[in-house]
Amino acid sequence: MTTRIFTAEELAKYNGQDGNPAYVAIDGTVYDVSNVRAWRNGKHHGNLAGHDVSAAIQRSLHMKRVLEDLPVVGKFTGDPEV
């Protein structure tokens, strides 16, 4: 199975708005948070889906424990497409 690679531009399309799924990148991994109630409409405590939220998860009370049950959809490079 091929791992999907997301650039920042590609990830931004998955913002949880207008029927799009909600994806977030954390430490190079892209997770699908579409079915997480706290991420309804692509927003969670000031964080936005479609972005790298690595720094925010480090400051959160639950840290990375919440990632265990989330579907992994790919890897995040952060680099623009060449």
Side-chain angles (χ1 to χ4, degrees):
M1 185 171 147
T2 304
T3 299
R4 182 165 179 189
I5 304 297
F6 289 84
T7 63
E9 181 180 3
E10 179 69 18
L11 183 63
K13 297 174 187 175
Y14 297 90
N15 61 6
Q17 302 289 309
D18 302 319
N20 291 314
Y23 294 174
V24 295
I26 300 168
D27 295 336
T29 301
V30 178
Y31 297 90
D32 185 344
V33 295
S34 301
N35 293 320
V36 177
R37 180 174 285 207
W39 278 96
R40 184 173 295 156
N41 298 319
K43 298 175 186 173
H44 177 58
H45 294 298
N47 298 296
L48 301 175
H51 294 276
D52 183 343
V53 296
S54 299
I57 196 124
Q58 293 300 327
R59 295 187 306 267
S60 71
L61 294 176
H62 49 67
M63 301 289 283
K64 294 184 180 180
R65 288 188 308 268
V66 296
L67 304 179
E68 296 171 2
D69 297 325
L70 294 176
V72 173
V73 293
K75 295 290 180 188
F76 180 67
T77 64
D79 299 329
E81 290 187 30
V82 178

